[in-house]
Amino acid sequence: MTYYALGLIGHPVKHSLSPAIHNAALTAYGIAGEYRLFDVPEPPNNEPRMTALIDSLRAGIITGLNVTIPHKQVVLSYLDKLTLAAQSIGAVNTIYQIGDRLVGDNTDAPGFLKPLESYTHRLKDDKAALIIGAGGAARAVTYALNQQGWKLTISARRLPQAQELADSLAKLQLVQESETDPGQYSDDRHAIRVVALDNIQRVMEWTRVDLVVNTTPIGMTPHEDANPWPDGCNLPHGAIIYDLVYNPPETALLHAAKAAGLECIGGLDMLIEQAALAFECWTGLDAPREAMRKAASEQLH
Ligand code: NAP
């Protein structure tokens, strides 16, 4: 019988909910295994520990790994193959083995989209989203939305960071289209706007906003009162508000959105979905999402 030796590489990792989520999934199936935390020091001191863990994967001592901050980019160079999502985002959050090859995947992008599906059927084709933040999670979110044809505005406190993300996405889309339809694309259609966080209210002057996504840690425990949306500025009328922060489950942003009668999605939905997709990569089994969610919720209370 297969023993599933799973785990998470990151730093720091001690507050991660992943062991509770994945161990609950293993228990729900009654399969042997354990999900452990592997604290790997920040680069450049990560090399010996990272190499040892990757060697354990190749030797089959470890079955599969998740990867989190600050190793999501660093780990790319240790792997044999990347999925299209991982390659496009430039980050890996899940590693599994196919034959003798180590594959790096990114389940954050589909994990983000899944909870959104039940809210977007009412939207027209020219859907427009405003993403707050331009870090690692924003890369997965913008890639996912861009692939689904959303018009995007990225808002960050450091404008060059937002611009770099917008440029890399536009370039990626140009490459994809030039491969499928050479000569039939134009730069203009791929324009992704960027705006300084201080000026976020100006976005609603130039575009309708159907979706706001907070990808910053603003509002996370122990700063529950903090809100990335500026004081005194109305949230966009009729928009879906999606906060990637999952602790607390209802952030100040979501609380304000609910009070304004807007539809809300919390970060726990994405956390469970990205974990469920990783579990399915490792085991080939349908992830027991309800058991995984229950275990995460218990940790948060
Ligand atoms: P990250 O790579 O460090 O990026 C964070 C982004 O937020 C950066 O653009 C950063 O700007 C910005 N930011 C941080 N503090 C800010 C502040 N006070 N004001 C304005 N901007 C600020 O982190 P990440 O991996 O993207 O994670 C971000 C959040 O998403 C975390 O809370 C994480 O737990 C959550 N997350 C949730 C899920 C899920 O499954 N629900 C998945 C991934 C991430 P600077 O670069 O200028 O600091």
Side-chain angles (χ1 to χ4, degrees):
M1 189 173 150
T2 310
Y3 182 88
Y4 288 96
L6 308 171
L8 171 68
I9 301 178
H11 180 80
V13 283
K14 65 173 184 237
H15 297 300
S16 171
L17 297 183
S18 294
I21 294 172
H22 285 285
N23 286 325
L26 293 169
T27 304
Y29 267 107
I31 48 183
E34 191 189 2
Y35 186 103
R36 296 172 53 198
L37 295 174
F38 300 108
D39 200 322
V40 176
E42 287 192 51
N45 301 321
N46 59 324
E47 178 63 32
R49 184 103 169 101
M50 190 77 106
T51 303
L53 287 165
I54 296 292
D55 286 350
S56 295
L57 256 175
R58 289 194 190 281
I61 298 164
I62 296 178
T63 321
L65 287 172
N66 280 137
V67 187
T68 190
I69 295 173
H71 302 303
K72 281 184 170 184
Q73 281 92 29
V74 177
V75 80
L76 265 72
S77 62
Y78 291 79
L79 306 175
D80 306 314
K81 184 176 156 50
L82 300 175
T83 60
L84 180 62
Q87 195 178 352
S88 306
I89 296 163
V92 160
N93 81 331
T94 302
I95 308 174
Y96 52 90
Q97 199 156 10
I98 297 185
D100 58 358
R101 303 181 83 194
L102 285 189
V103 181
D105 197 356
N106 191 309
T107 65
D108 279 338
F112 163 78
L113 284 178
K114 185 74 183 164
L116 195 56
E117 271 173 14
S118 53
Y119 294 87
T120 47
H121 53 273
R122 64 174 170 79
L123 299 178
K124 299 193 189 80
D125 281 346
D126 63 335
K127 307 176 286 260
L130 168 59
I131 290 110
I132 307 175
R139 294 195 87 83
V141 166
T142 50
Y143 166 77
L145 291 173
N146 188 248
Q147 290 295 105
Q148 302 272 309
W150 287 73
K151 279 197 278 183
L152 303 178
T153 304
I154 304 168
S155 179
R157 62 177 167 187
R158 290 189 294 121
L159 214 47
Q161 189 191 35
Q163 191 62 60
E164 190 276 322
L165 177 52
D167 291 346
S168 66
L169 268 179
K171 216 177 284 168
L172 173 73
Q173 202 173 355
L174 283 172
V175 169
Q176 283 179 350
E177 291 198 10
S178 67
E179 281 168 359
T180 54
D181 197 6
Q184 296 297 307
Y185 60 88
S186 104
D187 261 328
D188 298 348
R189 285 193 296 125
H190 304 292
I192 296 164
R193 292 189 187 245
V194 299
V195 65
L197 200 48
D198 292 346
N199 269 331
I200 206 167
Q201 67 277 15
R202 291 205 43 219
V203 176
M204 275 72 72
E205 292 168 16
W206 72 59
T207 179
R208 194 187 71 246
V209 173
D210 302 302
L211 169 69
V212 175
V213 187
N214 175 39
T215 73
T216 76
I218 302 173
M220 200 167 97
T221 304
H223 305 290
E224 288 100 336
D225 292 338
N227 188 335
W229 199 256
D231 269 353
C233 175
N234 288 335
L235 284 160
H237 181 71
I240 301 157
I241 311 297
Y242 194 154
D243 199 335
L244 263 52
V245 172
Y246 50 81
N247 188 13
E250 185 175 299
T251 58
L253 172 63
L254 293 185
H255 187 74
K258 261 191 193 166
L262 302 178
E263 288 173 315
C264 296
I265 308 175
L268 193 57
D269 291 348
M270 173 178 168
L271 185 75
I272 299 305
E273 190 57 30
Q274 62 78 30
L277 294 171
F279 182 83
E280 290 174 354
C281 286
W282 298 323
T283 63
L285 300 166
D286 283 341
R289 289 171 172 73
E290 274 320 305
M292 295 167 92
R293 171 180 286 277
K294 186 167 171 284
S297 300
E298 280 168 8
Q299 294 287 307
L300 290 171
H301 290 115

